[in-house]
Amino acid sequence: MENPWIKLNTKTVYETPWIKIEQDKVINPSGREDFYGKVHFQQTAVGALPIDEDGKIWLVGQFRYTVDRYSWEIPLGGAEENEDLLEATKRELQEETGFSANDWKGFLHLHPSISSTDQQAYVFIARGLRAGATNPDETEVLRQKKVTLKEALQMIDRQEITEGISVAALLKYAVQELAG
């Protein structure tokens, strides 16, 4: 389908090493001149769905400043521009859980909030886990927890897991497991 939007110009409103907020002057689909704001993440989101030899899923928990609450999630982080997505995911898994993995599989690609940001996220399944030392960022005080898929789904239902990439990855994994 042809793009009905016409971009006239773009202005950066705010920028940090993590995000850039842009305002585009546009002609919208109705033909009217308008403005459209976009949040651009400077990194691509990457996540690992670590599954151990018993079929248990490893989650990480931390207090999230932006939503002022504790959050359970799959191990997540960011890939720098031009960084290999799988290598970035391996790094994030090791930093947050201490695990490395023998077997990696591309699993999920999504746009977490497509109406306001161009952010993309990629999730890989990690199997053949080997324990090691964690190396969290200075802003992370992490706990690890292993759960069954059923327990993870119950955590979503109880709103203990609300982070979008984690919810999407766990639900997709549940659908695949049910389909056999």
Side-chain angles (χ1 to χ4, degrees):
M1 178 173 200
E2 188 176 320
N3 182 354
W5 294 82
I6 300 169
K7 184 178 2 176
L8 302 174
N9 63 49
T10 298
K11 177 174 89 174
T12 298
V13 177
Y14 175 79
E15 187 169 9
T16 72
W18 301 277
I19 64 169
K20 177 169 52 171
I21 299 175
E22 297 175 332
Q23 180 178 331
D24 292 344
K25 187 174 184 181
V26 299
I27 304 293
N28 72 26
S30 73
R32 189 170 63 85
E33 197 170 284
D34 205 352
F35 291 97
Y36 203 102
K38 176 176 71 176
V39 178
H40 170 75
F41 285 76
Q42 308 283 31
Q43 298 180 329
T44 301
V46 292
L49 185 60
I51 303 169
D52 69 17
E53 66 280 350
D54 296 326
K56 299 274 178 77
I57 299 165
W58 284 83
L59 302 173
V60 293
Q62 64 182 302
F63 193 88
R64 288 295 192 172
Y65 178 83
T66 53
V67 292
D68 195 30
R69 64 178 285 198
Y70 201 82
S71 177
W72 285 101
E73 307 161 5
I74 65 172
L76 296 164
E80 299 291 338
E81 188 176 345
N82 300 320
E83 182 179 15
D84 181 81
L85 298 174
L86 179 56
E87 291 306 312
T89 307
K90 289 177 179 181
R91 182 188 70 247
E92 290 297 334
L93 179 65
Q94 184 278 319
E95 287 177 2
E96 295 188 0
T97 67
F99 287 127
S100 57
N102 291 329
D103 183 31
W104 289 90
K105 177 183 171 192
F107 179 64
L108 177 65
H109 170 237
L110 70 144
H111 295 92
S113 186
I114 206 162
S115 67
S116 59
T117 177
D118 61 358
Q119 182 184 32
Q120 294 186 67
Y122 294 85
V123 177
F124 296 82
I125 291 180
R127 295 184 189 270
L129 303 178
R130 297 180 314 277
T134 62
N135 184 25
D137 293 338
E138 66 179 34
T139 60
E140 297 174 322
V141 179
L142 301 171
R143 292 176 29 210
Q144 292 83 28
K145 172 193 256 190
K146 69 177 179 173
V147 297
T148 64
L149 178 56
K150 181 178 180 180
E151 290 167 327
L153 295 175
Q154 290 168 340
M155 291 174 75
I156 292 170
D157 193 46
R158 292 190 304 263
Q159 297 182 25
E160 294 170 19
I161 301 173
T162 60
E163 191 280 320
I165 299 166
S166 300
V167 170
L170 290 164
L171 292 178
K172 181 177 179 182
Y173 183 65
V175 167
Q176 287 187 352
E177 287 297 298
L178 287 172

Coordinates of all heavy atoms in Angstrom, one line a residue, residues 33-121:
E33 N -2.0 20.0 6.6 CA -0.7 20.1 7.2 C -0.8 19.9 8.7 O -1.8 20.3 9.3 CB -0.2 21.5 6.9 CG 1.3 21.6 7.1 CD 1.9 22.9 6.7 OE1 2.0 23.1 5.4 OE2 2.2 23.8 7.5
D34 N 0.1 19.1 9.2 CA 0.0 18.7 10.6 C 1.5 18.5 11.2 O 2.4 18.6 10.5 CB -0.8 17.4 10.7 CG -1.4 17.1 12.0 OD1 -1.2 17.9 13.0 OD2 -2.2 16.2 12.1
F35 N 1.5 18.1 12.5 CA 2.8 17.7 13.1 C 2.6 16.3 13.7 O 1.5 16.0 14.1 CB 3.2 18.7 14.2 CG 3.6 20.1 13.8 CD1 2.6 21.1 13.7 CD2 4.8 20.3 13.3 CE1 3.0 22.4 13.3 CE2 5.2 21.6 12.8 CZ 4.3 22.6 12.8
Y36 N 3.7 15.6 13.6 CA 3.7 14.2 14.2 C 5.0 14.0 15.0 O 6.1 14.2 14.4 CB 3.6 13.2 13.1 CG 3.0 11.8 13.5 CD1 1.7 11.5 13.2 CD2 3.8 11.0 14.3 CE1 1.2 10.3 13.7 CE2 3.3 9.8 14.7 CZ 2.0 9.4 14.4 OH 1.4 8.2 14.8
G37 N 4.8 13.7 16.2 CA 6.0 13.4 17.1 C 6.4 12.0 17.1 O 5.5 11.1 17.0
K38 N 7.7 11.7 17.2 CA 8.2 10.3 17.2 C 9.3 10.2 18.2 O 10.2 11.1 18.2 CB 8.7 10.0 15.8 CG 9.3 8.6 15.7 CD 9.7 8.2 14.2 CE 10.8 9.1 13.7 NZ 11.3 8.7 12.4
V39 N 9.3 9.2 18.9 CA 10.4 8.8 19.8 C 11.3 7.8 19.1 O 10.8 6.7 18.7 CB 10.0 8.3 21.2 CG1 11.2 7.9 22.1 CG2 9.1 9.3 21.9
H40 N 12.6 8.1 18.9 CA 13.5 7.2 18.3 C 14.4 6.7 19.3 O 15.1 7.5 20.0 CB 14.3 7.9 17.2 CG 15.4 7.1 16.7 ND1 15.2 6.0 15.8 CD2 16.8 7.2 16.9 CE1 16.4 5.5 15.5 NE2 17.4 6.1 16.2
F41 N 14.5 5.4 19.5 CA 15.5 4.8 20.4 C 16.8 4.7 19.7 O 16.9 4.2 18.6 CB 15.0 3.4 20.9 CG 13.9 3.6 22.0 CD1 12.6 3.9 21.6 CD2 14.1 3.4 23.3 CE1 11.6 4.1 22.5 CE2 13.1 3.5 24.2 CZ 11.8 3.9 23.8
Q42 N 17.9 5.1 20.4 CA 19.2 5.1 19.8 C 19.7 3.6 19.6 O 20.7 3.4 18.9 CB 20.2 5.9 20.6 CG 19.7 7.3 20.8 CD 19.8 8.3 19.7 OE1 19.7 7.9 18.5 NE2 20.0 9.5 19.9
Q43 N 19.1 2.7 20.4 CA 19.6 1.3 20.3 C 18.3 0.4 19.9 O 17.2 0.8 20.1 CB 20.1 0.8 21.6 CG 21.3 1.5 22.1 CD 21.7 0.9 23.5 OE1 20.9 0.4 24.3 NE2 23.0 1.0 23.7
T44 N 18.6 -0.7 19.3 CA 17.6 -1.7 19.0 C 17.4 -2.6 20.2 O 18.4 -3.1 20.8 CB 18.0 -2.6 17.8 OG1 18.2 -1.7 16.7 CG2 17.0 -3.6 17.4
A45 N 16.2 -2.8 20.6 CA 15.9 -3.6 21.8 C 16.2 -5.1 21.4 O 15.8 -5.6 20.4 CB 14.5 -3.5 22.3
V46 N 16.9 -5.8 22.3 CA 17.2 -7.2 22.2 C 16.8 -7.9 23.5 O 17.0 -7.4 24.6 CB 18.6 -7.5 21.8 CG1 18.9 -7.0 20.4 CG2 19.6 -6.9 22.8
G47 N 16.3 -9.2 23.3 CA 16.0 -9.9 24.5 C 16.2 -11.4 24.3 O 16.3 -11.9 23.2
A48 N 16.5 -12.1 25.4 CA 16.7 -13.5 25.4 C 15.6 -14.2 26.2 O 15.2 -13.7 27.2 CB 18.0 -13.9 26.0
L49 N 15.1 -15.3 25.6 CA 14.1 -16.2 26.4 C 14.9 -17.4 26.7 O 15.0 -18.4 26.0 CB 12.9 -16.5 25.5 CG 11.8 -17.3 26.1 CD1 11.2 -16.5 27.3 CD2 10.7 -17.6 25.1
P50 N 15.6 -17.4 27.9 CA 16.4 -18.5 28.3 C 15.6 -19.6 28.9 O 14.9 -19.5 29.8 CB 17.3 -17.8 29.4 CG 16.7 -16.6 29.8 CD 15.6 -16.2 28.9
I51 N 15.8 -20.8 28.3 CA 15.1 -22.0 28.7 C 16.1 -23.1 29.1 O 17.0 -23.4 28.3 CB 14.2 -22.5 27.6 CG1 13.2 -21.3 27.2 CG2 13.4 -23.7 28.0 CD1 12.5 -21.6 25.9
D52 N 16.0 -23.5 30.4 CA 17.0 -24.5 30.8 C 16.7 -25.9 30.4 O 15.6 -26.2 29.8 CB 17.3 -24.3 32.4 CG 16.1 -24.8 33.2 OD1 15.2 -25.5 32.8 OD2 16.1 -24.4 34.4
E53 N 17.5 -26.9 30.9 CA 17.3 -28.3 30.5 C 16.0 -28.9 31.0 O 15.5 -29.9 30.4 CB 18.5 -29.1 30.9 CG 18.7 -29.2 32.4 CD 19.4 -28.0 33.1 OE1 19.9 -27.2 32.4 OE2 19.4 -28.0 34.3
D54 N 15.4 -28.3 32.0 CA 14.2 -28.8 32.6 C 13.0 -28.1 31.9 O 11.8 -28.3 32.4 CB 14.1 -28.6 34.1 CG 15.2 -29.4 34.8 OD1 15.5 -30.5 34.4 OD2 15.8 -28.9 35.8
G55 N 13.2 -27.2 31.0 CA 12.1 -26.5 30.3 C 11.7 -25.2 31.1 O 10.7 -24.6 30.7
K56 N 12.4 -24.9 32.1 CA 12.1 -23.7 32.9 C 12.6 -22.4 32.2 O 13.7 -22.4 31.6 CB 12.7 -23.8 34.3 CG 12.2 -25.0 35.1 CD 10.9 -24.7 35.9 CE 10.4 -25.9 36.6 NZ 11.0 -26.2 37.9
I57 N 11.9 -21.4 32.4 CA 12.2 -20.1 31.8 C 12.9 -19.2 32.9 O 12.3 -19.1 34.0 CB 11.0 -19.4 31.3 CG1 10.4 -20.3 30.1 CG2 11.3 -18.0 30.8 CD1 9.0 -19.9 29.8
W58 N 14.0 -18.5 32.6 CA 14.6 -17.7 33.5 C 14.2 -16.2 33.3 O 14.2 -15.7 32.1 CB 16.1 -17.8 33.4 CG 16.6 -19.0 34.0 CD1 16.6 -20.3 33.5 CD2 17.1 -19.2 35.4 NE1 17.1 -21.2 34.4 CE2 17.4 -20.5 35.6 CE3 17.3 -18.3 36.4 CZ2 18.0 -21.0 36.8 CZ3 17.9 -18.8 37.6 CH2 18.2 -20.1 37.8
L59 N 13.8 -15.6 34.4 CA 13.4 -14.2 34.3 C 14.3 -13.3 35.2 O 15.0 -13.9 36.1 CB 12.0 -14.0 34.9 CG 10.9 -14.8 34.2 CD1 9.5 -14.7 34.9 CD2 10.7 -14.3 32.7
V60 N 14.3 -12.1 34.9 CA 15.1 -11.1 35.8 C 14.1 -10.1 36.4 O 13.1 -9.7 35.7 CB 16.2 -10.4 35.1 CG1 17.3 -11.4 34.7 CG2 15.8 -9.7 33.9
G61 N 14.3 -9.7 37.6 CA 13.5 -8.7 38.2 C 14.3 -7.5 38.6 O 15.4 -7.6 39.1
Q62 N 13.6 -6.4 38.5 CA 14.3 -5.1 38.9 C 13.2 -4.1 39.1 O 12.1 -4.1 38.6 CB 15.3 -4.7 37.9 CG 14.8 -4.3 36.6 CD 15.9 -3.9 35.6 OE1 16.7 -3.0 35.9 NE2 16.0 -4.6 34.5
F63 N 13.6 -3.0 39.9 CA 12.7 -1.9 40.0 C 12.9 -1.0 38.8 O 14.0 -0.6 38.5 CB 13.0 -1.1 41.3 CG 12.0 -0.1 41.7 CD1 10.9 -0.5 42.4 CD2 12.0 1.2 41.2 CE1 9.9 0.4 42.7 CE2 11.0 2.1 41.5 CZ 9.9 1.7 42.3
R64 N 11.8 -0.6 38.2 CA 11.8 0.2 37.0 C 11.4 1.6 37.4 O 10.2 1.9 37.7 CB 10.9 -0.4 35.9 CG 11.5 -1.6 35.3 CD 12.7 -1.3 34.5 NE 13.1 -2.4 33.7 CZ 14.1 -2.3 32.8 NH1 14.8 -1.2 32.7 NH2 14.4 -3.4 32.1
Y65 N 12.3 2.5 37.2 CA 12.1 3.9 37.6 C 10.9 4.5 36.8 O 10.1 5.2 37.4 CB 13.4 4.7 37.3 CG 13.2 6.2 37.7 CD1 13.4 6.7 39.0 CD2 12.9 7.1 36.7 CE1 13.2 8.0 39.2 CE2 12.7 8.4 36.9 CZ 12.9 8.9 38.2 OH 12.7 10.2 38.5
T66 N 10.8 4.3 35.5 CA 9.8 4.9 34.7 C 8.4 4.6 35.1 O 7.5 5.5 34.9 CB 10.0 4.6 33.2 OG1 10.0 3.1 33.1 CG2 11.3 5.1 32.6
V67 N 8.1 3.4 35.6 CA 6.8 3.1 36.0 C 6.6 3.0 37.5 O 5.5 2.6 38.0 CB 6.3 1.8 35.3 CG1 6.1 2.0 33.8 CG2 7.2 0.6 35.6
D68 N 7.7 3.3 38.2 CA 7.7 3.3 39.7 C 7.2 2.0 40.3 O 6.3 2.0 41.2 CB 6.9 4.5 40.2 CG 7.1 4.8 41.7 OD1 8.2 4.5 42.2 OD2 6.2 5.3 42.3
R69 N 7.7 0.9 39.8 CA 7.3 -0.4 40.3 C 8.3 -1.5 40.0 O 9.1 -1.3 39.1 CB 5.9 -0.8 39.8 CG 5.8 -1.1 38.3 CD 4.5 -1.5 37.9 NE 4.3 -2.9 38.3 CZ 3.4 -3.7 37.8 NH1 2.5 -3.3 36.9 NH2 3.3 -5.0 38.2
Y70 N 8.2 -2.6 40.7 CA 9.1 -3.8 40.4 C 8.6 -4.5 39.2 O 7.4 -4.6 39.0 CB 9.1 -4.7 41.6 CG 10.3 -5.6 41.6 CD1 11.5 -5.1 42.1 CD2 10.2 -6.9 41.2 CE1 12.7 -5.9 42.1 CE2 11.4 -7.7 41.1 CZ 12.6 -7.2 41.6 OH 13.7 -8.0 41.6
S71 N 9.5 -5.0 38.4 CA 9.1 -5.6 37.1 C 9.9 -7.0 36.9 O 11.1 -7.0 37.1 CB 9.4 -4.7 36.0 OG 9.1 -5.3 34.7
W72 N 9.1 -8.0 36.6 CA 9.8 -9.3 36.1 C 9.8 -9.3 34.6 O 8.7 -8.9 34.0 CB 9.0 -10.5 36.7 CG 9.3 -10.7 38.1 CD1 8.5 -10.4 39.2 CD2 10.5 -11.2 38.7 NE1 9.2 -10.7 40.4 CE2 10.4 -11.2 40.1 CE3 11.7 -11.7 38.2 CZ2 11.4 -11.7 41.0 CZ3 12.7 -12.2 39.0 CH2 12.5 -12.2 40.4
E73 N 10.9 -9.6 34.0 CA 11.0 -9.6 32.6 C 11.9 -10.7 32.1 O 12.7 -11.3 32.9 CB 11.7 -8.2 32.2 CG 11.0 -7.0 32.8 CD 11.9 -5.8 32.8 OE1 13.1 -5.8 32.3 OE2 11.5 -4.8 33.3
I74 N 12.0 -10.9 30.8 CA 13.0 -11.7 30.2 C 14.3 -10.8 30.2 O 14.1 -9.6 30.3 CB 12.7 -12.2 28.8 CG1 12.5 -11.0 27.8 CG2 11.4 -13.1 28.8 CD1 12.4 -11.5 26.3
P75 N 15.5 -11.3 30.1 CA 16.7 -10.5 30.0 C 16.6 -9.6 28.7 O 16.4 -10.2 27.6 CB 17.8 -11.5 30.0 CG 17.3 -12.7 30.6 CD 15.8 -12.8 30.3
L76 N 16.7 -8.3 28.9 CA 16.6 -7.4 27.8 C 17.7 -6.4 27.9 O 18.3 -6.1 28.9 CB 15.3 -6.6 28.0 CG 14.0 -7.4 27.9 CD1 12.8 -6.6 28.4 CD2 13.7 -7.7 26.4
G77 N 18.0 -5.8 26.7 CA 18.9 -4.7 26.6 C 18.9 -4.1 25.3 O 17.9 -4.2 24.6
G78 N 20.0 -3.4 24.9 CA 20.0 -2.7 23.6 C 21.3 -3.1 22.8 O 22.3 -3.3 23.3
A79 N 21.1 -3.1 21.5 CA 22.2 -3.3 20.5 C 22.5 -1.9 20.0 O 21.7 -1.2 19.6 CB 21.8 -4.2 19.4
E80 N 23.8 -1.6 20.0 CA 24.3 -0.4 19.4 C 24.1 -0.4 17.9 O 24.0 -1.5 17.3 CB 25.8 -0.2 19.8 CG 26.1 -0.1 21.2 CD 25.6 1.1 21.9 OE1 25.4 2.2 21.2 OE2 25.5 1.1 23.1
E81 N 24.1 0.7 17.3 CA 24.0 0.8 15.9 C 25.1 0.0 15.2 O 26.3 0.0 15.6 CB 24.1 2.3 15.4 CG 23.8 2.5 13.9 CD 23.9 3.9 13.5 OE1 23.8 4.8 14.4 OE2 23.9 4.2 12.3
N82 N 24.7 -0.8 14.3 CA 25.7 -1.7 13.5 C 26.2 -2.9 14.4 O 27.0 -3.6 13.9 CB 26.8 -1.0 12.9 CG 26.4 0.1 11.9 OD1 25.4 -0.2 11.2 ND2 27.0 1.2 11.9
E83 N 25.7 -3.1 15.6 CA 26.1 -4.2 16.4 C 25.3 -5.4 16.0 O 24.1 -5.3 15.8 CB 26.0 -3.9 17.9 CG 26.4 -5.1 18.8 CD 26.2 -4.7 20.3 OE1 25.5 -3.8 20.6 OE2 26.8 -5.5 21.1
D84 N 25.9 -6.6 15.9 CA 25.2 -7.8 15.6 C 24.1 -8.1 16.7 O 24.5 -8.1 17.9 CB 26.1 -9.0 15.5 CG 25.4 -10.3 15.2 OD1 25.1 -10.5 14.0 OD2 25.2 -11.0 16.1
L85 N 22.9 -8.3 16.3 CA 21.8 -8.4 17.3 C 22.0 -9.6 18.2 O 21.7 -9.6 19.4 CB 20.4 -8.5 16.5 CG 20.1 -7.2 15.7 CD1 18.8 -7.5 14.9 CD2 19.9 -6.0 16.6
L86 N 22.4 -10.8 17.6 CA 22.6 -11.9 18.4 C 23.7 -11.7 19.4 O 23.6 -12.1 20.6 CB 22.9 -13.2 17.5 CG 23.1 -14.5 18.3 CD1 22.0 -14.8 19.3 CD2 23.4 -15.6 17.3
E87 N 24.8 -11.1 19.0 CA 25.9 -10.8 19.9 C 25.5 -9.9 21.0 O 25.9 -10.1 22.2 CB 27.2 -10.3 19.1 CG 27.8 -11.3 18.2 CD 28.2 -12.6 18.9 OE1 28.9 -12.5 20.0 OE2 27.9 -13.6 18.4
A88 N 24.7 -8.9 20.7 CA 24.2 -8.0 21.8 C 23.3 -8.8 22.7 O 23.4 -8.6 24.0 CB 23.4 -6.9 21.1
T89 N 22.5 -9.7 22.2 CA 21.6 -10.5 23.1 C 22.4 -11.4 24.0 O 22.1 -11.6 25.2 CB 20.6 -11.3 22.2 OG1 20.0 -10.4 21.3 CG2 19.6 -12.0 23.1
K90 N 23.5 -12.0 23.4 CA 24.3 -12.9 24.3 C 25.0 -12.1 25.4 O 25.0 -12.5 26.5 CB 25.5 -13.5 23.4 CG 25.0 -14.6 22.4 CD 26.1 -15.1 21.6 CE 25.6 -16.2 20.6 NZ 26.7 -16.7 19.8
R91 N 25.4 -10.9 25.1 CA 26.0 -10.0 26.1 C 25.0 -9.7 27.2 O 25.3 -9.7 28.4 CB 26.5 -8.7 25.4 CG 27.2 -7.8 26.4 CD 27.5 -6.4 25.9 NE 26.3 -5.6 25.6 CZ 25.8 -5.3 24.4 NH1 26.4 -5.6 23.3 NH2 24.7 -4.6 24.3
E92 N 23.8 -9.3 26.8 CA 22.7 -9.0 27.8 C 22.4 -10.2 28.7 O 22.2 -10.0 29.9 CB 21.5 -8.4 27.1 CG 21.7 -7.0 26.5 CD 22.0 -5.9 27.5 OE1 21.6 -6.1 28.6 OE2 22.6 -5.0 27.1
L93 N 22.3 -11.3 28.1 CA 22.0 -12.5 28.9 C 23.0 -12.8 29.9 O 22.7 -13.0 31.1 CB 21.8 -13.8 28.0 CG 21.5 -15.1 28.7 CD1 20.2 -15.0 29.4 CD2 21.6 -16.2 27.7
Q94 N 24.3 -12.7 29.5 CA 25.4 -12.9 30.4 C 25.4 -11.8 31.5 O 25.6 -12.1 32.7 CB 26.8 -12.9 29.7 CG 28.0 -13.2 30.5 CD 28.5 -11.9 31.3 OE1 28.5 -10.9 30.7 NE2 28.8 -12.1 32.6
E95 N 25.2 -10.5 31.1 CA 25.3 -9.4 32.1 C 24.2 -9.6 33.2 O 24.4 -9.4 34.3 CB 25.1 -8.1 31.4 CG 26.3 -7.6 30.6 CD 26.0 -6.3 29.9 OE1 24.9 -5.7 30.0 OE2 26.9 -5.8 29.2
E96 N 23.0 -10.0 32.7 CA 21.8 -10.0 33.6 C 21.6 -11.3 34.4 O 21.0 -11.3 35.5 CB 20.6 -9.6 32.9 CG 20.6 -8.1 32.4 CD 19.4 -7.6 31.8 OE1 18.3 -8.4 31.7 OE2 19.4 -6.5 31.3
T97 N 22.1 -12.4 33.8 CA 21.8 -13.7 34.5 C 23.1 -14.5 34.7 O 23.1 -15.4 35.5 CB 20.9 -14.6 33.6 OG1 21.7 -15.0 32.4 CG2 19.6 -14.0 33.2
G98 N 24.2 -14.1 34.1 CA 25.4 -14.9 34.2 C 25.5 -16.0 33.2 O 26.5 -16.7 33.0
F99 N 24.4 -16.3 32.5 CA 24.3 -17.4 31.6 C 24.9 -17.1 30.2 O 24.9 -16.0 29.7 CB 22.9 -17.9 31.3 CG 22.2 -18.6 32.5 CD1 21.0 -18.1 32.9 CD2 22.8 -19.7 33.0 CE1 20.3 -18.8 34.0 CE2 22.1 -20.3 34.1 CZ 20.9 -19.9 34.6
S100 N 25.5 -18.2 29.7 CA 25.8 -18.2 28.3 C 25.0 -19.4 27.7 O 24.5 -20.2 28.5 CB 27.3 -18.4 28.0 OG 27.8 -19.6 28.6
A101 N 24.9 -19.5 26.4 CA 24.0 -20.6 25.9 C 24.7 -21.2 24.7 O 25.4 -20.6 23.9 CB 22.7 -20.0 25.5
N102 N 24.5 -22.5 24.5 CA 25.0 -23.3 23.4 C 24.2 -23.2 22.1 O 24.7 -23.3 21.0 CB 25.1 -24.8 23.7 CG 26.2 -25.0 24.7 OD1 27.2 -24.3 24.8 ND2 26.0 -26.1 25.6
D103 N 22.9 -22.9 22.3 CA 21.9 -23.0 21.2 C 21.1 -21.7 21.2 O 20.4 -21.4 22.2 CB 21.0 -24.2 21.3 CG 20.1 -24.4 20.2 OD1 20.4 -24.0 19.0 OD2 19.0 -25.0 20.4
W104 N 21.1 -21.0 20.1 CA 20.4 -19.8 19.9 C 19.5 -19.9 18.7 O 19.9 -20.4 17.7 CB 21.3 -18.6 19.7 CG 22.1 -18.2 21.0 CD1 23.3 -18.7 21.4 CD2 21.7 -17.3 22.0 NE1 23.6 -18.2 22.6 CE2 22.7 -17.3 23.0 CE3 20.6 -16.5 22.2 CZ2 22.6 -16.5 24.1 CZ3 20.5 -15.7 23.3 CH2 21.5 -15.7 24.2
K105 N 18.3 -19.3 18.8 CA 17.3 -19.3 17.7 C 16.6 -18.0 17.7 O 16.0 -17.6 18.7 CB 16.3 -20.5 17.9 CG 15.3 -20.5 16.8 CD 14.3 -21.7 17.1 CE 13.1 -21.6 16.2 NZ 12.0 -22.4 16.6
G106 N 16.6 -17.4 16.5 CA 15.8 -16.2 16.3 C 14.3 -16.5 16.5 O 13.9 -17.5 16.0
F107 N 13.6 -15.7 17.2 CA 12.3 -16.1 17.7 C 11.2 -15.0 17.4 O 10.1 -15.4 17.0 CB 12.3 -16.4 19.2 CG 11.1 -16.8 19.8 CD1 10.4 -18.0 19.4 CD2 10.5 -16.1 20.8 CE1 9.2 -18.4 19.9 CE2 9.3 -16.4 21.4 CZ 8.7 -17.6 20.9
L108 N 11.5 -13.8 17.6 CA 10.4 -12.8 17.5 C 11.0 -11.4 17.1 O 12.1 -11.0 17.6 CB 9.8 -12.6 18.9 CG 8.7 -11.6 19.1 CD1 7.5 -11.9 18.3 CD2 8.3 -11.5 20.6
H109 N 10.3 -10.7 16.2 CA 10.6 -9.3 15.9 C 9.3 -8.6 16.0 O 8.2 -9.0 15.6 CB 11.1 -9.3 14.4 CG 11.2 -7.9 13.9 ND1 10.5 -7.4 12.8 CD2 11.9 -6.8 14.4 CE1 10.8 -6.2 12.6 NE2 11.6 -5.7 13.5
L110 N 9.4 -7.4 16.7 CA 8.2 -6.6 16.9 C 8.5 -5.1 17.1 O 9.6 -4.8 17.3 CB 7.4 -7.1 18.1 CG 7.9 -6.9 19.5 CD1 6.8 -6.5 20.5 CD2 8.7 -8.1 20.0
H111 N 7.5 -4.3 16.9 CA 7.5 -2.9 17.2 C 6.7 -2.7 18.4 O 5.4 -2.7 18.4 CB 6.9 -2.1 16.0 CG 7.7 -2.2 14.8 ND1 7.4 -3.2 13.8 CD2 8.7 -1.5 14.3 CE1 8.2 -3.1 12.8 NE2 9.1 -2.1 13.1
P112 N 7.3 -2.4 19.6 CA 6.6 -2.4 20.9 C 5.5 -1.3 21.0 O 4.5 -1.6 21.6 CB 7.6 -2.1 21.9 CG 8.9 -2.7 21.3 CD 8.7 -2.4 19.8
S113 N 5.6 -0.2 20.3 CA 4.6 0.9 20.4 C 4.6 1.6 19.1 O 5.1 2.8 19.1 CB 4.9 1.8 21.6 OG 3.8 2.7 21.8
I114 N 4.0 1.1 18.1 CA 4.2 1.5 16.7 C 3.6 2.9 16.4 O 3.9 3.5 15.5 CB 3.6 0.4 15.8 CG1 4.3 0.5 14.4 CG2 2.1 0.5 15.7 CD1 4.1 -0.7 13.6
S115 N 2.7 3.4 17.3 CA 2.1 4.7 17.0 C 2.9 5.9 17.4 O 2.7 7.0 16.9 CB 0.7 4.8 17.7 OG 0.9 4.8 19.1
S116 N 3.9 5.6 18.3 CA 4.7 6.8 18.8 C 6.2 6.6 18.7 O 6.9 7.5 19.0 CB 4.3 7.1 20.3 OG 4.5 5.9 21.1
T117 N 6.6 5.4 18.4 CA 8.1 5.2 18.3 C 8.4 4.2 17.2 O 7.6 3.4 16.8 CB 8.6 4.6 19.7 OG1 10.0 4.4 19.5 CG2 7.9 3.4 20.1
D118 N 9.6 4.4 16.6 CA 10.1 3.5 15.6 C 10.9 2.3 16.2 O 11.5 1.6 15.4 CB 10.9 4.2 14.5 CG 12.1 4.9 15.1 OD1 12.4 4.9 16.3 OD2 12.9 5.5 14.3
Q119 N 10.8 2.2 17.5 CA 11.6 1.1 18.2 C 11.3 -0.2 17.6 O 10.1 -0.5 17.3 CB 11.4 1.1 19.7 CG 12.2 0.1 20.4 CD 12.0 0.0 21.9 OE1 10.8 0.2 22.3 NE2 13.0 -0.3 22.6
Q120 N 12.3 -1.0 17.4 CA 12.2 -2.4 17.0 C 12.8 -3.3 18.1 O 13.7 -2.9 18.8 CB 12.9 -2.7 15.7 CG 12.3 -2.0 14.6 CD 12.9 -2.4 13.3 OE1 12.8 -3.5 12.8 NE2 13.6 -1.5 12.6
A121 N 12.3 -4.5 18.3 CA 12.8 -5.4 19.3 C 12.9 -6.8 18.6 O 12.1 -7.2 17.8 CB 11.9 -5.5 20.5

